[in-house]
Amino acid sequence: MEELVREEIGSFVATSTENCFPDGEPYFAAPLVGFAAANDPLFADYKRIIGPFHLAPAEFLAGAATVICWVLPISRPTRESNRRQQHWPSREWSMTRTYGEQFNVALRRHLVAWLTGRGQRAVAPQLAPEWRALDDCRAGVASSWSERHAAYAAGLGTFSLNDALITERGIAHRLGTVVTDLALVPSPRRPADHRHNCLYFREGSCGRCIGRCPTGALSPAGHDKERCREYVYGAVPAAVEAEYGVSQTGCGLCQTAVPCEAAIPGSLLRPGGKRA
């Protein structure tokens, strides 16, 4: 059954006309798919790590058994266009943030309908009435469900200095989740450390995302979510919305022109521990 789910998601990504720029170039490449057990202790831990407002799978769907998670890698031409940017995201990146995420919403709904048609119950937390955004005094900018943390639980990647998820297809992507009562075999979490794929934490090298941030929201201390939000949802749309024709622009500069853009990066250290 796990392979059937992967095939259904992969087929929708490959064939949907919603996953395309006007010229036919896809927003996203072939997806990665993983599964987390709804009763994985991590989801209880997230109420401590993220905050008590973060909901467990069973709080979205009574009798939940599995969280289906996917990674939609952003297409190479779009990533290349954003590598060249220094201050604002590229037009292609911004269109992917708006129209690519609309496709991602369609994928969430499609998978829920597909599971329901097979006699299962399912819900996409991001589209459920229980989902909400909030500013928590401890967690800062947050929400009642984190698709990044669900994807980590499903073995799809580990966290980076900029708080994003570095997967085997890199950090430039969008994520999606569906909670279902269908019991699927959980995907293994191979790295022992939740930041293993980030070179800054793994070996003390890199940190290139810091220099890519045009607003100073990244530093060795981590990610200033409030400064990032003000830039992404304030300064960037004000500067490029009229030109690009989209109001949800994203930014993604720290996700491109970095070693983890499209893969888990190899070491930047020479033998003996010196920086290459």
Side-chain angles (χ1 to χ4, degrees):
M1 192 62 194
E2 292 78 17
E3 193 55 37
L4 279 179
V5 173
R6 288 190 174 94
E7 289 175 359
E8 188 62 29
I9 294 172
S11 175
F12 191 80
V13 172
T15 62
S16 173
T17 57
E18 294 184 70
N19 183 28
C20 289
F21 286 95
D23 64 1
E25 181 71 31
Y27 295 118
F28 303 112
L32 303 174
V33 180
F35 311 105
N39 63 356
D40 189 313
L42 262 180
F43 290 110
D45 291 343
Y46 288 160
K47 289 184 176 292
R48 172 181 52 83
I49 296 168
I50 302 172
F53 53 82
H54 189 273
L55 302 180
E59 293 177 276
F60 286 99
L61 181 72
T66 305
V67 183
I68 302 171
C69 305
W70 60 85
V71 176
L72 298 176
I74 292 175
S75 68
R76 181 173 180 174
T78 297
R79 290 188 282 104
E80 288 175 344
S81 73
N82 218 45
R83 287 178 203 162
R84 298 188 288 269
Q85 301 297 109
Q86 300 296 320
H87 200 66
W88 312 118
S90 69
R91 180 190 298 271
E92 294 86 348
W93 188 276
S94 296
M95 291 181 70
T96 298
R97 173 60 183 86
T98 290
Y99 300 118
E101 183 55 29
Q102 288 178 10
F103 162 75
N104 198 14
V105 169
L107 174 54
R108 293 182 184 101
R109 289 178 173 150
H110 172 79
L111 188 60
V112 167
W114 182 80
L115 289 163
T116 302
R118 299 180 70 89
Q120 306 297 149
R121 292 184 299 117
V123 63
Q126 205 80 1
L127 307 180
E130 294 85 0
W131 188 93
R132 68 189 194 281
L134 66 158
D135 287 333
D136 180 79
C137 60
R138 181 169 63 88
V141 180
S143 67
S144 57
W145 177 254
S146 168
E147 294 193 306
R148 287 181 299 115
H149 285 79
Y152 170 73
L156 288 172
T158 74
F159 295 97
S160 64
L161 181 64
N162 64 10
D163 280 342
L165 198 77
I166 302 176
T167 74
E168 66 181 58
R169 296 290 301 278
I171 198 171
H173 55 68
R174 296 202 65 81
L175 301 170
T177 55
V178 161
V179 177
T180 178
D181 63 354
L182 174 64
L184 298 168
V185 177
S187 308
R189 288 193 294 272
R190 293 184 178 87
D193 185 88
H194 69 287
R195 289 171 164 174
H196 175 270
N197 295 347
C198 178
L199 289 175
Y200 185 85
F201 294 111
R202 190 166 83 225
E203 62 180 31
S205 67
C206 198
R208 292 186 191 174
C209 59
I210 296 173
R212 284 286 287 163
C213 181
T215 191
L218 296 175
S219 73
H223 178 207
D224 185 331
K225 292 183 179 181
E226 187 58 41
R227 179 176 289 189
C228 179
R229 180 173 68 170
E230 290 173 356
Y231 186 74
V232 171
Y233 293 100
V236 179
V240 302
E241 177 180 356
E243 178 185 355
Y244 291 175
V246 293
S247 58
Q248 297 291 319
T249 60
C251 174
L253 268 67
C254 67
Q255 298 175 15
T256 50
V258 291
C260 59
E261 177 187 308
I264 299 171
S267 176
L268 294 179
L269 300 180
R270 294 175 178 152
K274 292 185 178 180
R275 179 79 176 268

